[in-house]
Structures are given as structure tokens and as C-alpha cells.
Amino acid sequence: MKISDGQPAADRLVINQIKNYASQFEHSETPFLIQKDRKWVYVNPAARKILEAEEDIIGKPIWNNLSTEVHDIVEERIQSCGNGIAPKPSEQTWITQKGNYIQLEVIGFPLMFSSHATQIIIRNLTQQHIEKQETLEHLKLITENMIDIIGVVNMEGVFTSLTPSYSLVTGYPQEEAIGSTPFDLVHPEDRVHVISEFTRMIAEQIPLTVEYRYLTKDGSYIWLESKGKPIYQKDNHAAIVASRDITKRKKAEAALKQNEFKHRIILDHSNDLICLVDAEGKYLYASLSYKSVLGIDPQTLLGTNSLNCIHVEDHELVKNYINLVSSSKNPMPLVYRKMHASGHPILLEGKGMPMVSDEGEIEGIVFISRDITEKKKADEYIRNSEKLAVLGELAAGVAHEIRNPLTSIKGLFSLMKNGDYDREKIYLYNEVICDELHRIESIVNEFMALAKPDATQIKKDVNIIQLLQDTVMLLTSEANLYNVEIRLLFKEKKLYVFCEKNQIKQVFINVIKNAIEAMNEGGILTIAIEETDKKVKLLFVDNGIGIEEERLKSIGVPFFTNKEKGIGLGLTISNKIITEHKGDLKVQSRAGQGTTVSITLQKSN
């Protein structure tokens, strides 16, 4: 918006100051104007819109936009601003450039660097005036059809007017009730209190709310909530009273109190630590179990910081967890430590849940924690037992697998020692001994691969499709020997996985060879790929002999195998490799219907 600069030289400094000052309002949504010497010197776009000023009004008299009835008031307010006093906001009638009359709320402020200029903020009230009239009409319609009872009671406690809803709620005719006192129908046990509150409201001229029982036409009592406000009616004290039937609410409150009593019993007798903390982390409630688990009186915790009971090393952990819960996320249970009154830590597993108000604001967080100290010890014992059991099984498996070829070697050496030196037999004995030694070496190598993979292997981005195609090409001749057809159901493209190339290739070899050997009379091995945003799944589906359900449970267990010459470590090693790559290997099979092996890996970022 342009500011008029056709001013005398003496005013140029002020005009420049106004320009600099007004520039900050150019893009404001608040309608803003500046007048100097009763002429507009600045009007921002928001104000132009209200004044329907399609033409430039800078430099034009302000009176063009003001109703004559407000000229005197405006002049007085301008002079007040010139004296450095900001008048109160006022409601004025203005005229737009199109000649339309509008109602505005006008706020004027002195302009600090000029006593001849005033800054003005306006707000359009025209629509509000229209809505106000409509509201009055609607109010009349609502009052006549509302469910709540609206009545006027004079200072003697007599109805002088009532809405039709009185008949609907109480059953008494509206006409008969006017001129009578409502106190006669109030339950005898509540009557003294209601009359006392009404008298206090009239005497002290304060609004009051009271709940009481009221006798209806059918002889039953209902609960009413009445809100009274003192008024003057015909120069006498009176009160306008709005009454609502709250019988259902009262019944619900009674049921809620009963439930609260039951829940309180449950909370007070729970072995879990249950607490409620506010948004600042201070205790609002702590269950009685704090005494038995931590040796702390729960009453002493109220109002204190919840971190005071938590092990100092876990403060940051708990703070981060509270932030997750406060952001309405649903984190996993948290394992942390609280300090016992005697000074030793107690290991806990806790879960937090936000308490959200009707407005969506978090009012607090409920924590339920359980002492898992003994459970942790039991879990450690079980894990150690399982490790020892697995170690025993592995040792027994290795011993069994090595003992067989050693027995053969020992027997052959015995024959050679006893003088059986026939050249052909010795050659045969040597061949068998070498085969058995190779078998022992194979068992040891695979066992070492299972126990400790090669530390020199480096992971990098690998085109998993190219790697799979290379592996299939490598095993095609072996598949032909078994009359097995390998079908690739995926397009040739680049799909990268962050992995150790040789290890994944070894997994592919193990899986494909297992599938080929499971179809010793011929068959089809189908390899497909399923891709998502972050993962890739490779499916190896054969129509071989399959695996029985009972034997399927043992797949992947060291030294368990369906093969005549296998040692049962191939799939175990494959599973270990895929797990180390943060992937997943699954086997599904049915006897006589084939086997499906799925390998899921994470795609490169």
C-alpha cells in the first residue's frame, strides 16, 4: 500500500518514519490504518478489503469513510490520541467506498513520533450484528423447545415464568406451576438446604448451583441440577434458574463410586507397583505395594519427583521412555531399577500409559511395574542350562560323527598290522582311510564355521539377483544329473542387499543342493523373489519328497539330517548366517508335497 508523500518538506521526516513503521503491517491479516491531519496516510490490504477500497484512498479525508453520527466521537478520540492517551475501543458505523454501512470495532493508539497522526486497528462486526439478531430469534425458538427448565423465581420463592419443558420433565402443567413455589416439591431431606442456598443467592447476589431431588407428577423423585443467577425484575430482587434432569448422571456416579471402591481394593492389594505422575513427573498416586516392594510409605511420595526413587544410572533411560509415552507412542515394556529404602536396587519391568483429557491434553502417566529380580535370576539359570544342554548336544554330536570314521580307520589299521599286505587291499584300505579322514575334516570345518565364522569377511552392497543367478549356474550340472529343472521366476535387474557375498552364496548352495537331493527321481525347483520397500524375500520351492511334520520340528538342529551321507550342519550354518545378517530363514514342508524355504534379507539403504 502506497503512503502519500506529497507533503511539505517539514513533514517528510514524519512521513518517512510512518513508512518505515507501517511496512511491518503490509502483510498482516489485522486491518491497520494510519491517519494524519484527518487524512489517510496508510491503509494495509486487510483494511482495504473491509472498506471495499478498490481505488486508492491515501490522502483522502477520513470523514468520507465515517458515518456523520460518529464524527464528534472520532474527533474527540483523535485529540485524545494527540495528547498521548489511548481511548478505549469503541463500536462505530463506517462507510465503505461502495457506500455500504458497516459496524466496526475501532481501537486507536497515539503514534509516538507524531502528535498529528493516529494508528488504528479495526474489526468488522457487521456479521456479528446480523448473527446477534438471528441468535435472539433462535434463542426464543430454543427456549420454547428446550429440554432444560428455565424459570424466574421472585424473592419470595414463587415461579413468575417457566418454559414449556417444565411440563415435560416434571409432568405438572406449566400454567399451574406459575404462581406456586417449587420448594414444596423438593424432597424433605433436601428442602432446608435448597431454601438456604436460594436465600443466600438473593442476599449475597451471587450465582449458585445446587443438586436435589424433586417430586414428579407420577409420585417418583428425579434429580435436578439448578443453576441460579440473581437478577432485577420490576425493581425487585429475583433469580433466573436453569434446571436440568441429572437422574441418569446420578445413577452413573453411584455406579462409578462403587467401581472406584472395587478398583481401590484391587490397587491396594496388588503386588505390582502402580503409580500416577503428572506432566512434571511428580507423584499423584502410589499404591500400597510400594511399602512391601520398596519399603517406602506411598504417602511420603505424593508431590515428590518420581525420579527420586529410580537408580541414578537409569534416569536418562526413564526420561526417554516418558517422552515416548507422552508423545502417544506405545513403547515396549521398560526394564529399569528403583532403589529400596535400605539402599539396594530392585529390578523392575514397567509399562506406561498416558492419561488424555477430553481436549486431547496429556494430564498424567500411569505406570505399572513388577519386580522381576527373581525372574531375571531364573531366566539366567535357564539360559545357562540351555547353553550347557546345547553344548552337550554339540559335543555328543561331534563325538558321534567323528567316532564312526575313526572306528573304520582303526579297524583298517588293525588289519594292516596283522600282516594283511595284499597290494590291492592296501590300496583299498588307503582309499577308505583317506575318505574317512576327509569326512572328519569336513565335520570339523563345518563345526568351526558354525562356532566362529571367518572374521576377515567384509559386508558390502551385493546384487542379490546376480549372486543367485551365478549360484544357479554353478549347480545346473548337478541338477541335470538328478533330472531337476530350475525355474527362475524373476526379472533380471539390480536389487542390492548389504551382505557378505560368499556367506550368502554358501546359503544359496546349501538350500538349492538340499532341494535337488530331495528330488532324486527328478522334479522342478522354482525360485522367486518378493520385494518390499525395505526387505527382499527369496522363495525356493521344490516338489520333492517333503518332510514329515514331526521331523520338520528338528530341521536346523545340529547333526539332524534326512540325507544318507549328510552331517546335519548345512541348514544350521545357513540359519546362523542369515540371522547374523539380520534376516530370517523359514522352512515349510509336507511329506510327499515338497518343501518351501524362504529367506528374508534387508535391502541396502
Side-chain angles (χ1 to χ4, degrees):
M1 169 57 64
K2 181 179 71 174
I3 297 180
S4 174
D5 54 7
Q7 302 291 331
D11 290 340
R12 287 181 182 176
L13 178 61
V14 174
I15 292 297
N16 287 333
Q17 288 178 313
I18 291 176
K19 282 183 178 181
N20 293 333
Y21 175 71
S23 62
Q24 62 183 309
F25 299 99
E26 187 66 19
H27 301 288
S28 173
E29 295 181 359
T30 301
F32 181 79
L33 312 90
I34 297 178
Q35 73 82 25
K36 184 176 183 299
D37 298 326
R38 285 47 172 190
K39 293 182 179 181
W40 298 123
V41 294
Y42 176 75
V43 181
N44 76 348
R48 285 173 59 89
K49 184 177 180 181
I50 290 179
L51 297 179
E52 299 179 324
E54 297 178 357
E55 299 178 359
D56 196 358
I57 61 174
I58 298 301
K60 294 183 179 180
I62 64 174
W63 310 116
N64 293 351
N65 297 105
L66 297 173
S67 173
T68 55
E69 62 187 31
V70 300
H71 282 196
D72 293 340
I73 298 175
V74 171
E75 180 61 34
E76 181 182 338
R77 293 169 64 83
I78 289 175
Q79 292 180 14
S80 177
C81 287
N83 294 327
I85 301 173
K88 295 181 179 179
S90 69
E91 188 174 321
Q92 301 173 11
T93 303
W94 285 34
I95 306 171
T96 70
Q97 291 298 94
K98 294 183 179 181
N100 296 318
Y101 284 80
I102 55 175
Q103 293 297 125
L104 299 180
E105 179 186 61
V106 182
I107 305 175
F109 302 93
L111 203 59
M112 295 296 102
F113 46 81
S114 175
S115 60
H116 300 288
T118 308
Q119 53 183 327
I120 303 162
I121 295 174
I122 60 175
R123 184 165 66 96
N124 195 348
L125 302 178
T126 305
Q127 185 61 31
Q128 292 185 13
H129 277 253
I130 296 173
E131 292 174 355
K132 183 177 180 180
Q133 185 60 38
E134 292 177 349
T135 299
L136 291 174
E137 294 175 0
H138 291 163
L139 181 60
K140 181 179 179 182
L141 183 63
I142 292 170
T143 302
E144 292 177 351
N145 294 276
M146 69 190 309
I147 297 176
D148 289 353
I149 304 169
I150 306 295
V152 177
V153 183
N154 63 22
M155 61 185 304
E156 286 79 27
V158 175
F159 279 130
T160 58
S161 66
L162 274 171
T163 55
S165 53
Y166 181 83
S167 299
L168 296 174
V169 175
T170 67
Y172 300 109
Q174 172 192 6
E175 304 80 20
E176 294 181 8
I178 295 175
S180 66
T181 175
F183 301 134
D184 291 341
L185 299 176
V186 174
H187 193 286
E189 296 178 3
D190 303 331
R191 191 173 298 152
V192 173
H193 174 64
V194 172
I195 293 174
S196 173
E197 289 294 278
F198 176 80
T199 303
R200 186 162 73 93
M201 176 180 65
I202 296 296
E204 299 179 12
Q205 290 292 287
I206 57 173
L208 288 175
T209 300
V210 63
E211 296 178 1
Y212 55 94
R213 288 162 288 181
Y214 198 80
L215 183 65
T216 63
K217 184 74 171 179
D218 63 8
S220 63
Y221 280 96
I222 60 173
W223 276 96
L224 292 180
E225 178 188 67
S226 294
K227 296 184 177 182
K229 183 177 181 181
I231 60 172
Y232 277 100
Q233 188 181 47
K234 297 179 182 180
D235 298 328
N236 288 318
H237 289 292
I240 184 169
V241 180
S243 301
R244 173 174 296 181
D245 185 352
I246 59 169
T247 306
K248 291 182 179 180
R249 192 183 83 188
K250 279 292 184 178
K251 290 180 179 179
E253 289 175 354
L256 181 61
K257 287 182 179 179
Q258 183 65 25
N259 285 334
E260 286 180 352
F261 176 72
K262 294 178 181 178
H263 292 157
R264 176 68 65 174
I265 292 177
I266 294 172
L267 290 176
D268 289 345
H269 292 82
S270 172
N271 291 325
D272 293 344
L273 296 177
I274 303 171
C275 69
L276 171 63
V277 299
D278 62 17
E280 297 178 354
K282 294 182 179 179
Y283 280 109
L284 298 176
Y285 167 79
S287 62
L288 292 178
S289 52
Y290 271 75
K291 183 68 177 177
S292 57
V293 176
L294 298 177
I296 301 173
D297 184 353
Q299 293 300 317
T300 63
L301 297 175
L302 302 184
T304 64
N305 194 318
S306 57
L307 291 177
N308 294 344
C309 294
I310 295 172
H311 195 290
V312 65
E313 295 178 3
D314 294 340
H315 279 197
E316 197 64 31
L317 177 69
V318 173
K319 287 179 182 178
N320 293 336
Y321 185 83
I322 290 175
N323 290 335
L324 285 175
V325 175
S326 299
S327 61
S328 298
K329 294 182 179 179
N330 187 25
M332 297 293 291
L334 174 71
V335 176
Y336 66 107
R337 292 165 293 177
K338 278 192 173 183
M339 300 304 297
H340 193 276
S342 61
H344 67 274
I346 301 293
L347 188 65
L348 301 169
E349 181 181 68
K351 177 79 173 177
M353 293 152 285
M355 288 185 62
V356 183
S357 67
D358 294 338
E359 292 76 26
E361 299 290 332
I362 294 181
E363 296 180 336
I365 299 175
V366 176
F367 283 96
I368 302 177
S369 303
R370 178 168 296 177
D371 185 354
I372 59 169
T373 306
E374 296 302 321
K375 179 178 179 294
K376 192 75 173 178
K377 292 179 181 178
D379 289 344
E380 289 291 338
Y381 177 79
I382 292 172
R383 277 196 292 272
N384 289 334
S385 299
E386 289 175 347
K387 289 178 182 177
L388 291 173
V390 171
L391 182 62
E393 290 179 6
L394 286 173
V398 172
H400 174 74
E401 293 296 327
I402 293 179
R403 186 184 293 115
N404 290 336
L406 284 178
T407 300
S408 300
I409 293 171
K410 183 178 178 181
L412 291 172
F413 273 120
S414 296
L415 290 175
M416 294 170 66
K417 183 179 179 180
N418 291 334
D420 191 353
Y421 291 109
D422 182 272
R423 182 180 296 275
E424 292 184 3
K425 288 185 177 180
I426 290 176
Y427 179 79
L428 177 62
Y429 293 164
N430 286 337
E431 285 291 317
V432 173
I433 289 171
C434 287
D435 287 344
E436 294 302 308
L437 287 174
H438 283 309
R439 179 172 174 78
I440 292 173
E441 183 182 22
S442 175
I443 293 170
V444 172
N445 287 339
E446 292 207 36
F447 183 75
M448 291 302 296
L450 176 65
K452 186 177 181 181
D454 187 358
T456 63
Q457 295 166 336
I458 300 174
K459 293 181 181 180
K460 60 183 180 179
D461 288 338
V462 175
N463 185 352
I464 201 71
I465 291 182
Q466 184 62 51
L467 180 63
L468 187 55
Q469 289 174 332
D470 293 344
T471 307
V472 170
M473 187 177 296
L474 179 68
L475 297 174
T476 298
S477 58
E478 184 173 348
N480 292 335
L481 291 176
Y482 285 86
N483 195 26
V484 171
E485 177 187 355
I486 301 178
R487 296 179 181 177
L488 303 181
L489 301 184
F490 52 85
K491 297 179 180 179
E492 293 187 7
K493 66 172 185 176
K494 295 181 180 179
L495 184 60
Y496 288 94
V497 171
F498 187 69
C499 65
E500 200 294 308
K501 182 177 180 180
N502 292 327
Q503 284 188 347
I504 299 300
K505 186 175 183 179
Q506 183 61 49
V507 172
F508 291 164
I509 291 173
N510 290 344
V511 173
I512 294 174
K513 288 186 69 174
N514 283 347
I516 292 173
E517 292 171 5
M519 298 181 286
N520 53 14
E521 295 183 0
I524 299 173
L525 171 60
T526 302
I527 303 176
I529 294 178
E530 295 179 0
E531 183 183 359
T532 63
D533 291 341
K534 297 183 179 180
K535 295 184 179 181
V536 56
K537 179 186 285 187
L538 301 99
L539 299 171
F540 301 81
V541 184
D542 68 59
N543 57 357
I545 59 175
I547 306 171
E548 296 176 356
E549 185 176 351
E550 288 300 319
R551 298 177 67 82
L552 186 63
K553 297 177 182 178
S554 300
I555 290 294
V557 175
F559 307 110
F560 175 85
T561 179
N562 277 346
K563 304 176 187 177
E564 182 178 346
K565 296 183 180 181
I567 63 172
L569 286 178
L571 201 57
T572 304
I573 294 172
S574 298
N575 189 46
K576 178 178 176 63
I577 291 172
I578 297 300
T579 301
E580 289 175 347
H581 281 75
K582 298 181 180 179
D584 189 37
L585 187 150
K586 293 183 179 179
V587 179
Q588 295 177 311
S589 182
R590 284 189 179 183
Q593 297 184 21
T595 301
T596 297
V597 178
S598 65
I599 298 174
T600 303
L601 294 169
Q602 295 183 350
K603 292 165 66 175
S604 298
N605 294 328

